[in-house]
Amino acid sequence: MGRTRLRGIELAGIRVAVEVPPNSSWDWADTPHHRFECSPLDPDLYIGVRRGVPDLPRTDFVVYACDGSTFEVGRHGTDWVVVIHGPGHSERIARFDASFREGEVWIRPDAAESLAHPLVHPLDEIIVLHRIAREGGLMLRGSAVLREGRALVFVGDTERSEDRAPISGWRQIGAPSLSGGRVVLRVQGRDVWLFGAPWQSDAAFALPIRARLDAVHSIRESPAVCAERLYADAATSELLAHVFAPVHDPDGAARLHGVAERVAERVPVVSLGLPEEQRVVPFTWGQRHAALAFAPPFLT
């Protein structure tokens, strides 16, 4: 008789224990997830895995596009239901309790062998998106750079011209950079931390990194280089403008607002204006102007 096994993975500080049924032989190996493997003991989220096609509950689903496919998220009673579609049919159906502490993933038998593991994207990201909001975290649409265990995050107009965005300057000195990705932040104590995630395309960020956040810079077009520190409601609103807020969870809006307030209280949020011509604003780590998230303009 086969025995179930537990495998652990840690995503943005969230420990997940996944129950492997006897008739499955998947592993984290050969996927970015193997770098995030951990002990399955004392998990924050426990997931059971089954093969089969369960009855789909009748509920209203919100449909999302992802990597050329689609997935749906909806509520059934107090539970969350996620349906991930493969070619021509539903590939996986997951169900989680209201707090995302327990869940079950059903995998269609004809899709089981082609899946590297049950949490293949986007399910891993959906789990993180829900859990970090409950534990003081945000997922922002933006870019980031790392240096010596510290991070800067850039949101706003960071992709229209990578050559003139500040992130391009960090590439020139070899600082690991995440361009146009999903930045995972968590408030822990008096600090805000940036976490790596297995779905990131930039190799340096597809690792179990944890870097202290120094500032968030919101880039906008401007006639001249300028920087303005935002405070209180203005800083919170600027963060919320770039947050991944799932439309299927309207009750989570107040939660995200509270987290954004706590982030703005702990790190500088700066509106950074850049002209259309290609210029790179210099930042010096550890210097006073960097700590205040302010950089002087170029002099001409």
Side-chain angles (χ1 to χ4, degrees):
M1 180 180 295
R3 299 177 59 187
T4 59
R5 295 158 290 154
L6 286 178
R7 294 202 172 126
I9 187 169
E10 187 168 309
L11 303 171
I14 300 162
R15 180 170 291 191
V16 182
V18 184
E19 176 188 304
V20 185
N23 58 350
S24 295
S25 59
W26 62 266
D27 202 341
W28 304 122
D30 300 325
T31 73
H33 292 72
H34 83 273
R35 305 183 184 98
F36 297 80
E37 191 170 0
C38 69
S39 168
L41 301 179
D42 194 25
D44 301 300
L45 168 62
Y46 184 94
I47 297 177
V49 179
R50 307 286 182 267
R51 286 197 183 195
V53 184
D55 293 333
L56 192 62
R58 294 183 178 180
T59 187
D60 293 328
F61 287 96
V62 177
V63 182
Y64 296 88
C66 177
D67 298 332
S69 184
T70 61
F71 66 92
E72 302 173 76
V73 185
R75 296 296 295 265
H76 183 68
T78 60
D79 290 349
W80 289 102
V81 180
V82 182
V83 181
I84 300 173
H85 295 280
H89 53 67
S90 59
E91 173 188 274
R92 285 169 287 168
I93 298 176
R95 187 163 180 162
F96 300 92
D97 66 351
S99 61
F100 266 70
R101 294 192 177 277
E102 292 185 357
E104 193 169 51
V105 178
W106 288 82
I107 304 176
R108 192 180 184 93
D110 57 0
E113 297 305 321
S114 61
L115 283 175
H117 54 79
L119 303 189
V120 167
H121 194 264
L123 190 55
D124 52 1
E125 188 174 349
I126 295 170
I127 290 170
V128 170
L129 188 62
H130 277 264
R131 279 304 302 262
I132 62 170
R134 290 165 171 78
E135 298 182 8
L138 297 173
M139 190 180 296
L140 298 178
R141 181 182 290 103
S143 303
V145 291
L146 296 175
R147 191 175 180 189
E148 298 175 357
R150 307 184 77 88
L152 292 174
V153 166
F154 301 90
V155 297
D157 188 21
T158 61
E159 295 184 50
R160 185 175 298 179
S161 176
E162 286 291 332
D163 291 335
R164 71 179 180 86
I167 195 171
S168 64
W170 289 106
R171 290 199 189 101
Q172 295 174 16
I173 63 172
S177 62
L178 171 67
S179 178
R182 295 176 293 281
V183 181
V184 180
L185 304 178
R186 288 189 63 178
V187 176
Q188 295 181 330
R190 292 302 307 167
D191 295 314
V192 181
W193 297 84
L194 179 146
F195 285 81
W199 59 79
Q200 300 290 11
S201 58
D202 296 79
F205 289 80
L207 296 170
I209 57 172
R210 180 174 178 267
R212 183 180 282 108
L213 181 65
D214 277 349
V216 177
H217 299 268
S218 180
I219 299 174
R220 58 183 174 81
E221 289 192 357
S222 172
V225 178
C226 61
E228 177 189 4
R229 172 80 182 268
L230 304 179
Y231 294 92
D233 290 346
T236 300
S237 296
E238 192 63 37
L239 291 173
L240 290 173
H242 306 285
V243 162
F244 281 91
V247 297
H248 60 264
D249 186 16
D251 295 337
R255 203 160 37 227
L256 291 173
H257 187 276
V259 177
E261 284 184 327
R262 293 195 291 276
V263 171
E265 289 170 356
R266 287 161 173 77
V267 299
V269 178
V270 172
S271 176
L272 182 62
L274 296 177
E276 291 186 5
E277 60 265 29
Q278 296 181 358
R279 286 181 173 179
V280 175
V281 177
F283 290 84
T284 304
W285 290 79
Q287 299 300 313
R288 189 173 183 180
H289 65 262
L292 294 176
F294 178 82
F298 277 161
L299 300 178
T300 57

